[in-house]
Amino acid sequence: MLLKKYVKTRRKLKILLLLAIVALLVITIIVLGSSGRNAAIELLLDERFIARAYRPGDQPQSPEKPPPVAVALLQPQRENGVIVPEKYDEQKIKERIIQSKIDLMKQQQQRDHEAEQSSRTTLDVVITAVHIFYTAPVPWYKSKKPPPPPAEHPNDVPLTTPRPVRILNTAFYPALGLYKPSASLLAQHFENIRSCGIGVLILSYSGSKPTEAALLHQILELAPQHNLSVTFELSVAGNQSVEFVRQQLQEIATYTSRAGFYKVWSQSRGVALPVLYVSNAYKLSDSLGRLLCRSPSLVEPDGLRRVLDALFIGHIRLKSHADVLRRLCFDGFYSKLPSNGAVFASTWKNWSYLKSFALSYKMLFVPTVGPGFAERNKFPRHGDIQRHRSNGRYYGVAWRTAILNHVGFINIASYNNWPDGSQIEEVVPRAGFLDYNPGSRTKYLDLTAHWVGNFLKTRQEAAAAASPASPPSCYELLNGTIC
């Protein structure tokens, strides 16, 4: 009706329709032109990305300077009039992506390590009343003999014996890898120990082997440079004869004259005496113990104290072993095993009794604290005594119990006894191994520095609270001397 009203002739209607068609064409051309520019820009960006991906150098070009060949890439390569597709090396692209991820992970680990080192808990003082077991070298592998192949007939004899298989003997993986002792490694370990406030290293002594003797001399030279002292743990598990013990003491006596060997001033004897730990001391016979007693040994020519006069601290396990070492004339005893509840001596609630027993007979009680116990063996050699670290709480309870008993010495098991899983050294997360998560890889170094600081503070408060009327016990080693 509107068209009939305003357009009265057929000629005007044709002109109106023609104008509408022209307008639609103009709008369509404008829309198609804008989308074409966007597509060209996207294609240009895609070509630039391909150019960066296939660039032989690893350094990316700056975005302010686009590559001059980007426009040329828009022109397809032709061969005999046929467009030749670009070469696409998928393996090369994957390798570049994987390598970039590895580089990013290394950079992140380096930043995390630097942050951990800058935020570590350290002590500026060194306490000689805190000792730590140090293993050198670490037995990383153990040999396991595989079962023989089954015989086809019952009377057959196997022609060959299967070779032992080497198995990695640690439940954690060290941050420094499966290392061997070297001067730089020992210096790094000693610096970590010193930063925790620990003053004495306990080394296992098993005999005068040439390689072991050279390593002990190297440690005794390096330890004083880091304000550390060294003492030995003599093991008599395999041989308890008087001749064996005498020979071992003669060899150890050659080391005690070194400046780095740990000694304590004895008030009663008026001389500085070396401290010597004896593992499995409860197995020694009474006849050998009589040679360790001070009164007859200083008179009799075959007394062991004539060979080496020292403060002998023996290893105990049961309640009766404390009385055994008293009869053997030992100067003290220690628990050694950092597994609460495994034996009487390593049970925390029994440390008060052992401290009282030691004071009654003028002896030393040295509790052993540790962050946990995790042997990798399916059937551990010590029985079912695995102890979970519980995010450091297990370590804290052991330290608090030892501090509250006001002991003179505390030893830590251990810095790097990886086969027992009792180490405080740094670890790195790795598939198939335990780690210190949640927390940094220096977690137990930081906890050790914290608890050594608490131990020092408690000793200082006890020394300050002492009066001439009630002097502190010389067996608590508050003034650096012992009875």
Side-chain angles (χ1 to χ4, degrees), residues 56-258:
D58 290 333
Q59 298 294 333
Q61 293 187 1
S62 59
E64 292 80 6
K65 296 181 180 180
V69 298
V71 178
L73 286 172
L74 298 178
Q75 300 177 0
Q77 297 181 1
R78 296 178 178 272
E79 185 176 341
N80 299 327
V82 179
I83 296 178
V84 179
E86 300 178 9
K87 293 182 179 180
Y88 175 69
D89 192 348
E90 184 177 1
Q91 185 64 27
K92 181 179 178 181
I93 296 295
K94 288 182 178 180
E95 289 177 357
R96 292 176 61 87
I97 294 173
I98 293 174
Q99 185 62 39
S100 63
K101 290 183 178 180
I102 292 175
D103 294 340
L104 290 175
M105 290 176 62
K106 288 182 178 179
Q107 294 175 4
Q108 184 64 32
Q109 290 179 356
Q110 182 66 23
R111 288 194 295 267
D112 293 343
H113 180 64
E114 293 175 355
E116 290 173 2
Q117 294 296 329
S118 61
S119 62
R120 271 203 55 199
T121 303
T122 59
L123 288 179
D124 297 330
V125 296
V126 173
I127 308 173
T128 56
V130 180
H131 307 170
I132 189 167
F133 289 92
Y134 184 80
T135 305
V138 179
W140 295 112
Y141 293 93
K142 64 178 180 179
S143 297
K144 183 178 180 181
K145 187 176 180 181
E152 297 181 0
H153 301 284
N155 296 329
D156 287 349
V157 178
L159 299 177
T160 58
T161 303
R163 294 183 178 180
V165 180
R166 297 181 67 197
I167 302 175
L168 188 60
N169 193 23
T170 173
F172 297 82
Y173 199 84
L176 299 178
L178 306 181
Y179 52 77
K180 293 182 179 180
S182 63
S184 59
L185 178 81
L186 293 174
Q188 184 175 355
H189 283 180
F190 293 169
E191 184 61 27
N192 288 340
I193 294 172
R194 187 210 59 80
S195 66
C196 293
I198 302 169
V200 181
L201 304 175
I202 305 175
L203 303 178
S204 177
Y205 186 85
S206 58
S208 57
K209 299 178 183 178
T211 55
E212 180 182 1
L215 181 59
L216 292 178
H217 282 290
Q218 185 180 19
I219 293 176
L220 283 168
E221 290 178 0
L222 287 175
Q225 300 176 13
H226 299 270
N227 201 15
L228 297 176
S229 302
V230 177
T231 186
F232 291 159
E233 183 190 38
L234 172 63
S235 177
V236 294
N239 192 344
Q240 296 91 33
S241 64
V242 177
E243 293 75 14
F244 173 77
V245 176
R246 186 185 302 277
Q247 179 185 359
Q248 296 295 88
L249 292 180
Q250 290 174 350
E251 295 173 359
I252 294 175
T254 61
Y255 294 96
T256 56
S257 59
R258 304 287 295 270

Side-chain angles (χ1 to χ4, degrees), residues 255-266:
Y255 294 96
T256 56
S257 59
R258 304 287 295 270
F261 206 91
Y262 177 58
K263 296 181 180 180
V264 178
W265 181 265
S266 174

Side-chain angles (χ1 to χ4, degrees), residues 127 403 450-464:
I127 308 173
I403 292 173
H450 167 76
W451 287 113
V452 171
N454 285 351
F455 181 51
L456 175 62
K457 181 180 178 181
T458 304
R459 291 165 60 85
Q460 291 174 346
E461 293 175 353

Side-chain angles (χ1 to χ4, degrees), residues 291-308:
L291 297 177
L292 276 176
C293 291
R294 185 161 293 103
S295 299
S297 65
L298 295 178
V299 178
E300 297 179 1
D302 58 346
L304 294 177
R305 298 266 179 185
R306 284 182 174 271
V307 179
L308 177 62

